[in-house]
Amino acid sequence: METNERIVITPAEKADHLTKELRRFTGTVTWFRHILFPKYLYTEGVRFLAEEAEAYWLIEMIFAFQTKPVIRNAGYFQAWDLIVHDNKTATLTCENGNCDLVFTHHLTFTDFPLPKVKMFFIHDTLLLTSEY
């Protein structure tokens, strides 16, 4: 007999699961294009993060910010950090290849399940640091 019980996991369990699963992404053989930003690519690891964390918005923000002159002038290598604060606000920052902070964006709310994530945007491709 089938049951329609729904498994509920805590935010801490979800974060733990994501952290463990993200470690398995080392390199990529498949790239994806975002329908709104066809110029840019993202990797399997980024896709997994977006799906599991319900965070396609993060990909969209990083791609949308590429139109800002300060971001375009950062060069072909960008390091993006999302830091989630205890009050569910967050800070998204971008550093250039010399580790110089070039951009900061404050989010007034997020339900992103991890306390932080770092991704690289290199030659128009967004990837997890482990995929570099």
Side-chain angles (χ1 to χ4, degrees):
M1 182 167 157
E2 283 186 43
T3 63
N4 289 332
E5 290 182 33
R6 190 170 175 190
I7 298 172
V8 178
I9 62 172
T10 67
E13 290 170 331
K14 185 171 188 173
D16 186 52
H17 166 74
L18 278 172
T19 300
K20 287 177 183 172
E21 289 297 310
L22 287 172
R23 288 187 195 129
R24 70 183 175 92
F25 292 97
T26 55
T28 193
V29 294
T30 307
W31 292 266
F32 304 92
R33 288 192 191 279
H34 193 287
I35 193 167
L36 298 176
F37 303 95
K39 176 181 178 182
Y40 306 125
L41 301 171
Y42 58 97
T43 61
E44 293 170 294
V46 173
R47 182 180 187 201
F48 174 84
L49 177 65
E51 288 179 353
E52 294 294 312
E54 299 177 33
Y56 273 99
W57 58 266
L58 183 55
I59 296 172
E60 292 165 1
M61 282 186 118
I62 293 170
F63 288 172
F65 286 141
Q66 297 305 309
T67 62
K68 292 189 167 292
V70 69
I71 301 296
R72 280 197 312 268
N73 295 336
Y76 72 90
F77 184 96
Q78 302 166 13
W80 288 86
D81 288 288
L82 179 70
I83 310 274
V84 178
H85 309 292
D86 291 338
N87 64 356
K88 295 292 186 187
T89 63
T91 305
L92 180 64
T93 60
C94 176
E95 294 180 348
N96 64 17
N98 297 321
C99 299
D100 298 321
L101 181 65
V102 296
F103 181 75
T104 301
H105 179 76
H106 299 284
L107 289 85
T108 57
F109 175 79
T110 185
D111 58 357
F112 191 75
L114 298 175
K116 63 183 177 176
V117 68
K118 182 182 206 93
M119 292 185 278
F120 295 144
F121 187 77
I122 306 169
H123 293 294
D124 295 335
T125 302
L126 187 61
L127 57 147
L128 300 176
T129 58
S130 61
E131 294 176 302
Y132 182 61

